[in-house]
Amino acid sequence: MIYGHGDDSYISSETIHSNFSSNVWFGAETTALYSHLAKVLPGTMSYPDPNADSFTRLLGKKIGVVANRLLVCNGSTEAFYLIAQVFRSHTSLICVPSFSEYEDACRIHSHRVHFAKQPDFEMTLHRIKPDLVWLCLPNNPDGFCFSKKQIADWMRKYPKTTFVVDQAYAEFTLQKSFGVSAVRQHTNLVLVYSLTKSHKIPGLRLGYVISSQRMIERLTSLKMPWSVNSMAIEAGKFLIENATESLPIAKWMEDTKLFQEQLAQIGQIEVLPSHTPFFLVKLLKGKASDLKKHLLQNGLLVRDATNFRGLEGEYIRLCTQTPEKNQSLTENIAVWYSQMN
């Protein structure tokens, strides 16, 4: 793995006041969850369900999926490594730039890995006809969305190719994502989800896979027992049983548009369009690592995105916060550029 993911505050000696680097819903209410986890903490004196069965049953009932088509994992990342292991020594095609763990999982399990950028992806898919395709919908880091129809057309056209569609950020866009019925329609589809992004608890590591019964059996046979800990299981059950309002994505996107407009007024940077509240900013002058250091001194953390395969140049990734914090970041970036002149 690389140590350049978002939210690397654990390696910083600076106090972080505003974290723009991690793609999570900053407005999630966690008080009730924290209170519940404090009450169930003594449960950690016993082993958790070996395969998170109690949570799996509850989740399956909530989303309308039978248990033999569902696998709960230690975050979506565990799912990627299990999928890559199932297809060990096969051929994979990854659309870049995207989440680096797809590539890392494939490399560990001896895949022949090919890469294609979004404009060239369909042509490369046709040329290679890989065993496995990795897509992020919407995509991290740029918030790009292939259409559902386009992906569905590919699944029908290439029935021998398995399509892994990472929908960890499905709630972070107004674009349409795949529902559970798609797995029944397409036997070559594997859907992967995260349960922590919209609830602001990525440290608990909780995700799941929906696919065919055969695929879930193969993944389960390789999965380490107790990979999902007691606190993650309890958190998941609490969130399902106490579901409140959905993430206010329309308002968040409105704030994002305003934030992007403010950033664009700085000059020296190019704000890339996105279907999500997280997006890329290309620096036309200066290094992303230097800008990150400057912002850290002011308690602002951004994602240095220059290590994403497929990006050429200097980039940072931002995830929209409150209007006040967005304004603070904009002003601090403007100050950094003014000091360079």
Coordinates of all heavy atoms in Angstrom, one line a residue, residues 147-206:
S147 N -21.8 6.6 -16.9 CA -23.2 6.4 -16.7 C -23.5 4.9 -16.5 O -22.8 4.1 -16.9 CB -24.0 6.9 -18.0 OG -23.7 6.0 -19.1
K148 N -24.6 4.7 -15.7 CA -25.0 3.3 -15.5 C -25.3 2.6 -16.8 O -24.9 1.4 -16.9 CB -26.3 3.4 -14.7 CG -26.2 3.5 -13.2 CD -27.5 3.5 -12.5 CE -28.3 2.3 -12.8 NZ -29.7 2.3 -12.2
K149 N -25.9 3.3 -17.7 CA -26.2 2.6 -19.0 C -24.9 2.2 -19.7 O -24.8 1.1 -20.3 CB -26.9 3.6 -19.9 CG -27.3 3.0 -21.3 CD -28.0 4.0 -22.1 CE -28.5 3.3 -23.5 NZ -27.3 2.7 -24.2
Q150 N -23.9 3.0 -19.7 CA -22.6 2.7 -20.3 C -22.0 1.5 -19.7 O -21.5 0.5 -20.4 CB -21.7 3.9 -20.3 CG -20.4 3.7 -21.2 CD -19.6 5.0 -21.3 OE1 -19.7 5.8 -20.4 NE2 -19.0 5.2 -22.4
I151 N -21.9 1.4 -18.4 CA -21.4 0.3 -17.7 C -22.2 -1.0 -18.0 O -21.7 -2.1 -18.2 CB -21.2 0.5 -16.2 CG1 -20.3 1.7 -16.0 CG2 -20.7 -0.7 -15.5 CD1 -20.2 2.2 -14.5
A152 N -23.5 -0.9 -17.9 CA -24.4 -2.0 -18.2 C -24.2 -2.5 -19.6 O -24.2 -3.8 -19.8 CB -25.9 -1.6 -18.0
D153 N -24.0 -1.6 -20.6 CA -23.7 -2.1 -21.9 C -22.5 -2.9 -22.0 O -22.4 -3.9 -22.7 CB -23.7 -0.8 -22.9 CG -25.0 -0.2 -23.1 OD1 -26.0 -0.8 -22.8 OD2 -25.0 1.0 -23.6
W154 N -21.4 -2.4 -21.3 CA -20.2 -3.1 -21.3 C -20.3 -4.5 -20.7 O -19.8 -5.5 -21.2 CB -19.1 -2.4 -20.5 CG -18.7 -1.1 -21.1 CD1 -18.7 -0.8 -22.4 CD2 -18.1 0.0 -20.5 NE1 -18.2 0.5 -22.7 CE2 -17.8 1.0 -21.5 CE3 -17.7 0.3 -19.1 CZ2 -17.2 2.2 -21.2 CZ3 -17.2 1.5 -18.9 CH2 -16.9 2.5 -19.9
M155 N -21.1 -4.6 -19.6 CA -21.3 -5.9 -18.9 C -22.0 -6.9 -19.9 O -21.7 -8.1 -19.9 CB -22.1 -5.7 -17.6 CG -21.3 -5.1 -16.5 SD -22.1 -5.2 -14.9 CE -23.4 -3.9 -15.2
R156 N -22.9 -6.4 -20.7 CA -23.6 -7.3 -21.6 C -22.7 -7.6 -22.8 O -22.7 -8.8 -23.3 CB -24.9 -6.6 -22.2 CG -26.1 -6.6 -21.2 CD -27.3 -6.1 -21.8 NE -27.3 -4.6 -22.0 CZ -27.7 -3.7 -21.2 NH1 -28.2 -4.1 -20.0 NH2 -27.6 -2.4 -21.5
K157 N -21.9 -6.7 -23.2 CA -21.0 -6.9 -24.4 C -19.9 -7.8 -24.0 O -19.4 -8.6 -24.9 CB -20.5 -5.6 -24.9 CG -19.8 -5.6 -26.2 CD -19.5 -4.2 -26.7 CE -18.8 -4.3 -28.1 NZ -18.5 -2.9 -28.6
Y158 N -19.4 -7.8 -22.8 CA -18.3 -8.6 -22.4 C -18.7 -9.5 -21.2 O -18.2 -9.3 -20.1 CB -17.1 -7.7 -22.0 CG -16.7 -6.8 -23.1 CD1 -17.1 -5.4 -23.1 CD2 -15.9 -7.2 -24.2 CE1 -16.8 -4.6 -24.1 CE2 -15.6 -6.3 -25.2 CZ -16.0 -5.0 -25.2 OH -15.6 -4.2 -26.2
P159 N -19.5 -10.5 -21.5 CA -20.0 -11.4 -20.4 C -19.0 -12.2 -19.6 O -19.2 -12.6 -18.5 CB -21.0 -12.3 -21.1 CG -20.5 -12.3 -22.5 CD -20.0 -11.0 -22.8
K160 N -17.8 -12.4 -20.3 CA -16.7 -13.2 -19.6 C -15.9 -12.3 -18.7 O -15.0 -12.8 -18.0 CB -15.9 -13.9 -20.7 CG -16.6 -14.9 -21.4 CD -15.7 -15.6 -22.4 CE -16.5 -16.7 -23.2 NZ -15.6 -17.4 -24.1
T161 N -16.1 -11.0 -18.7 CA -15.4 -10.1 -17.9 C -16.2 -9.7 -16.6 O -17.4 -9.4 -16.7 CB -15.1 -8.7 -18.6 OG1 -14.2 -9.0 -19.7 CG2 -14.4 -7.7 -17.7
T162 N -15.6 -9.8 -15.5 CA -16.2 -9.5 -14.2 C -16.0 -8.0 -13.9 O -14.8 -7.5 -13.9 CB -15.7 -10.3 -13.0 OG1 -16.1 -11.7 -13.3 CG2 -16.4 -9.9 -11.7
F163 N -17.0 -7.2 -13.7 CA -16.9 -5.8 -13.4 C -17.1 -5.5 -11.9 O -18.1 -5.8 -11.3 CB -18.0 -5.0 -14.2 CG -17.7 -5.0 -15.7 CD1 -18.0 -6.1 -16.5 CD2 -17.2 -3.8 -16.3 CE1 -17.7 -6.1 -17.8 CE2 -17.0 -3.8 -17.6 CZ -17.2 -4.9 -18.4
V164 N -16.0 -5.0 -11.3 CA -16.0 -4.6 -9.9 C -16.3 -3.1 -9.9 O -15.5 -2.3 -10.4 CB -14.7 -4.9 -9.2 CG1 -14.7 -4.5 -7.8 CG2 -14.3 -6.3 -9.4
V165 N -17.5 -2.8 -9.4 CA -17.9 -1.4 -9.3 C -17.9 -0.9 -7.9 O -18.8 -1.4 -7.1 CB -19.3 -1.2 -10.0 CG1 -19.7 0.3 -9.9 CG2 -19.3 -1.7 -11.4
D166 N -17.0 -0.1 -7.5 CA -16.9 0.5 -6.2 C -17.8 1.6 -6.0 O -17.6 2.7 -6.6 CB -15.4 0.9 -6.0 CG -15.1 1.5 -4.6 OD1 -16.1 1.6 -3.8 OD2 -14.0 2.0 -4.4
Q167 N -18.9 1.5 -5.2 CA -19.8 2.5 -5.0 C -19.7 3.1 -3.6 O -20.7 3.4 -2.9 CB -21.2 2.0 -5.3 CG -21.4 1.6 -6.7 CD -22.9 1.5 -7.2 OE1 -23.2 1.7 -8.3 NE2 -23.7 1.0 -6.3
A168 N -18.5 3.2 -3.1 CA -18.3 3.7 -1.7 C -18.8 5.1 -1.6 O -19.3 5.6 -0.5 CB -16.8 3.7 -1.4
Y169 N -18.9 5.9 -2.7 CA -19.3 7.3 -2.7 C -20.7 7.4 -3.4 O -21.0 8.5 -3.9 CB -18.3 8.2 -3.3 CG -17.0 8.1 -2.6 CD1 -15.9 7.5 -3.1 CD2 -16.8 8.7 -1.3 CE1 -14.7 7.4 -2.4 CE2 -15.6 8.7 -0.6 CZ -14.6 8.0 -1.2 OH -13.4 8.0 -0.5
A170 N -21.5 6.4 -3.4 CA -22.8 6.5 -4.1 C -23.7 7.6 -3.6 O -24.5 8.2 -4.3 CB -23.5 5.1 -4.1
E171 N -23.6 7.8 -2.3 CA -24.4 8.9 -1.6 C -23.8 10.3 -1.8 O -24.5 11.2 -1.5 CB -24.5 8.6 -0.1 CG -25.2 7.3 0.2 CD -25.3 7.1 1.7 OE1 -26.2 7.7 2.4 OE2 -24.4 6.4 2.2
F172 N -22.6 10.4 -2.5 CA -22.0 11.6 -2.6 C -22.2 12.3 -4.0 O -21.5 13.2 -4.4 CB -20.5 11.5 -2.4 CG -20.0 11.3 -1.0 CD1 -20.6 10.3 -0.2 CD2 -19.0 12.1 -0.5 CE1 -20.2 10.2 1.1 CE2 -18.6 11.9 0.8 CZ -19.2 11.0 1.6
T173 N -23.3 11.8 -4.7 CA -23.5 12.4 -6.0 C -25.0 12.3 -6.3 O -25.8 11.5 -5.7 CB -22.8 11.6 -7.1 OG1 -23.0 12.2 -8.4 CG2 -23.2 10.1 -7.1
L174 N -25.4 13.2 -7.2 CA -26.8 13.2 -7.7 C -27.0 12.3 -8.9 O -28.1 12.0 -9.4 CB -27.2 14.6 -8.0 CG -27.3 15.6 -6.9 CD1 -27.5 17.0 -7.3 CD2 -28.5 15.2 -5.9
Q175 N -25.8 11.7 -9.4 CA -25.9 10.8 -10.5 C -26.4 9.5 -10.1 O -26.3 9.1 -8.9 CB -24.5 10.7 -11.1 CG -23.8 12.0 -11.6 CD -24.6 12.7 -12.6 OE1 -24.9 12.1 -13.7 NE2 -25.0 13.9 -12.4
K176 N -26.9 8.7 -11.0 CA -27.5 7.4 -10.6 C -26.4 6.3 -10.4 O -25.4 6.3 -11.2 CB -28.5 6.9 -11.7 CG -29.7 7.8 -11.8 CD -30.7 7.3 -12.8 CE -31.9 8.2 -12.9 NZ -32.9 7.7 -13.9
S177 N -26.6 5.5 -9.4 CA -25.7 4.4 -9.2 C -26.5 3.1 -9.3 O -27.7 3.1 -9.5 CB -25.1 4.5 -7.7 OG -26.1 4.5 -6.8
F178 N -25.8 1.9 -9.2 CA -26.4 0.6 -9.4 C -27.1 0.3 -8.1 O -26.6 0.5 -7.0 CB -25.4 -0.4 -9.7 CG -24.9 -0.4 -11.1 CD1 -23.7 0.1 -11.5 CD2 -25.8 -0.8 -12.2 CE1 -23.3 0.2 -12.8 CE2 -25.3 -0.8 -13.5 CZ -24.1 -0.3 -13.8
G179 N -28.3 -0.3 -8.2 CA -29.0 -0.9 -7.1 C -28.8 -2.3 -7.0 O -28.2 -3.0 -7.9
V180 N -29.4 -3.0 -6.0 CA -29.2 -4.4 -5.7 C -29.7 -5.2 -6.9 O -29.3 -6.3 -7.1 CB -29.7 -4.8 -4.4 CG1 -29.0 -4.1 -3.2 CG2 -31.2 -4.5 -4.3
S181 N -30.8 -4.7 -7.5 CA -31.4 -5.5 -8.6 C -30.4 -5.7 -9.8 O -30.5 -6.7 -10.5 CB -32.6 -4.8 -9.1 OG -32.3 -3.5 -9.7
A182 N -29.4 -4.9 -9.9 CA -28.4 -5.0 -11.0 C -27.6 -6.3 -10.9 O -27.2 -6.9 -11.9 CB -27.5 -3.8 -11.0
V183 N -27.4 -6.7 -9.7 CA -26.6 -8.0 -9.5 C -27.4 -9.2 -10.0 O -26.9 -10.1 -10.5 CB -26.3 -8.1 -8.0 CG1 -25.6 -9.5 -7.7 CG2 -25.3 -7.0 -7.6
R184 N -28.7 -9.1 -9.9 CA -29.6 -10.2 -10.4 C -29.6 -10.2 -11.9 O -29.8 -11.2 -12.6 CB -31.0 -10.1 -9.8 CG -31.0 -10.4 -8.3 CD -32.4 -10.5 -7.8 NE -33.0 -9.2 -7.6 CZ -33.0 -8.5 -6.5 NH1 -32.3 -9.0 -5.4 NH2 -33.5 -7.3 -6.3
Q185 N -29.5 -9.0 -12.5 CA -29.5 -8.8 -13.9 C -28.2 -9.2 -14.6 O -28.2 -9.6 -15.8 CB -30.0 -7.4 -14.3 CG -31.4 -7.0 -13.8 CD -31.6 -5.5 -14.0 OE1 -30.8 -4.8 -14.5 NE2 -32.8 -5.1 -13.5
H186 N -27.1 -8.9 -13.9 CA -25.8 -9.1 -14.5 C -25.0 -10.0 -13.6 O -24.5 -9.6 -12.5 CB -25.1 -7.7 -14.6 CG -25.8 -6.7 -15.4 ND1 -25.8 -6.7 -16.8 CD2 -26.6 -5.7 -15.0 CE1 -26.6 -5.7 -17.2 NE2 -27.1 -5.1 -16.1
T187 N -24.8 -11.2 -14.0 CA -24.0 -12.2 -13.2 C -22.5 -11.9 -13.1 O -21.8 -12.4 -12.3 CB -24.2 -13.6 -13.8 OG1 -23.7 -13.6 -15.1 CG2 -25.6 -14.1 -13.7
N188 N -22.0 -11.0 -14.0 CA -20.6 -10.6 -14.0 C -20.4 -9.2 -13.3 O -19.5 -8.5 -13.6 CB -20.1 -10.5 -15.4 CG -20.9 -9.6 -16.3 OD1 -22.0 -9.3 -16.1 ND2 -20.2 -9.1 -17.4
L189 N -21.3 -8.9 -12.3 CA -21.2 -7.6 -11.6 C -20.9 -7.9 -10.1 O -21.5 -8.7 -9.5 CB -22.5 -6.9 -11.7 CG -22.6 -5.6 -10.9 CD1 -21.5 -4.5 -11.3 CD2 -24.0 -5.0 -11.1
V190 N -19.9 -7.2 -9.6 CA -19.6 -7.2 -8.1 C -19.7 -5.7 -7.6 O -19.0 -4.9 -8.1 CB -18.2 -7.7 -7.9 CG1 -17.9 -7.7 -6.3 CG2 -18.0 -9.1 -8.4
L191 N -20.6 -5.5 -6.7 CA -20.8 -4.2 -6.2 C -20.2 -4.1 -4.8 O -20.4 -5.0 -4.0 CB -22.3 -3.8 -6.0 CG -23.1 -3.7 -7.3 CD1 -24.6 -3.4 -7.0 CD2 -22.5 -2.6 -8.2
V192 N -19.4 -3.0 -4.6 CA -18.7 -2.9 -3.3 C -19.1 -1.5 -2.7 O -19.2 -0.5 -3.4 CB -17.1 -2.9 -3.5 CG1 -16.4 -2.8 -2.1 CG2 -16.7 -4.2 -4.2
Y193 N -19.4 -1.6 -1.4 CA -19.9 -0.4 -0.7 C -19.1 -0.1 0.6 O -18.5 -1.0 1.2 CB -21.4 -0.5 -0.3 CG -22.3 -0.7 -1.4 CD1 -22.6 -1.9 -2.0 CD2 -23.0 0.5 -1.9 CE1 -23.5 -2.0 -3.1 CE2 -23.9 0.4 -3.0 CZ -24.1 -0.9 -3.6 OH -25.0 -1.0 -4.6
S194 N -19.1 1.1 1.0 CA -18.6 1.5 2.3 C -19.7 2.0 3.2 O -20.6 2.7 2.7 CB -17.5 2.6 2.2 OG -17.2 3.2 3.5
L195 N -19.7 1.7 4.5 CA -20.7 2.2 5.4 C -20.2 3.3 6.3 O -20.9 3.7 7.2 CB -21.2 1.0 6.3 CG -22.2 0.0 5.6 CD1 -22.3 -1.3 6.4 CD2 -23.6 0.7 5.6
T196 N -19.0 3.8 6.1 CA -18.4 4.7 7.0 C -18.3 6.2 6.5 O -18.2 7.1 7.2 CB -17.0 4.2 7.4 OG1 -16.2 4.2 6.3 CG2 -17.1 2.9 8.1
K197 N -18.3 6.3 5.1 CA -18.1 7.7 4.6 C -19.2 8.7 4.9 O -18.9 9.8 5.3 CB -18.0 7.6 3.0 CG -16.9 6.6 2.5 CD -15.5 7.0 2.8 CE -14.5 6.2 2.1 NZ -14.5 4.8 2.4
S198 N -20.4 8.2 4.8 CA -21.5 9.2 5.1 C -21.8 9.4 6.6 O -22.6 10.2 6.9 CB -22.8 8.7 4.4 OG -23.2 7.4 4.8
H199 N -21.2 8.5 7.4 CA -21.4 8.6 8.9 C -20.2 9.2 9.6 O -20.1 9.2 10.8 CB -21.8 7.3 9.4 CG -23.1 6.7 8.9 ND1 -24.3 7.3 9.2 CD2 -23.4 5.8 8.0 CE1 -25.3 6.6 8.6 NE2 -24.7 5.7 7.8
K200 N -19.1 9.5 8.9 CA -17.9 10.1 9.4 C -17.2 9.2 10.4 O -16.8 9.6 11.5 CB -18.2 11.5 10.0 CG -17.0 12.4 10.2 CD -17.3 13.8 10.6 CE -18.0 13.9 11.9 NZ -18.2 15.3 12.3
I201 N -17.1 7.9 10.1 CA -16.4 6.9 11.0 C -15.5 6.0 10.2 O -15.5 4.8 10.3 CB -17.4 6.1 11.8 CG1 -18.5 5.5 10.9 CG2 -18.1 6.9 12.9 CD1 -19.4 4.5 11.6
P202 N -14.7 6.5 9.2 CA -13.9 5.6 8.4 C -12.9 4.8 9.2 O -12.4 3.8 8.8 CB -13.1 6.6 7.5 CG -13.2 7.9 8.2 CD -14.5 8.0 8.9
G203 N -12.6 5.3 10.5 CA -11.6 4.5 11.3 C -12.2 3.2 11.8 O -11.4 2.4 12.3
L204 N -13.5 3.0 11.7 CA -14.1 1.8 12.2 C -14.0 0.7 11.1 O -14.2 -0.5 11.5 CB -15.6 2.0 12.6 CG -15.8 2.6 14.0 CD1 -17.2 2.8 14.3 CD2 -15.2 1.6 15.1
R205 N -13.8 1.0 9.9 CA -13.6 0.0 8.8 C -14.8 -0.9 8.7 O -14.9 -2.0 9.3 CB -12.3 -0.8 9.0 CG -11.1 0.0 9.4 CD -10.8 1.1 8.4 NE -10.7 0.6 7.0 CZ -11.2 1.3 6.0 NH1 -11.9 2.4 6.2 NH2 -11.0 0.8 4.8
L206 N -15.8 -0.5 7.9 CA -17.0 -1.4 7.7 C -17.5 -1.2 6.2 O -17.8 -0.1 5.8 CB -18.0 -1.0 8.7 CG -19.3 -1.9 8.8 CD1 -18.9 -3.3 9.2 CD2 -20.3 -1.3 9.8

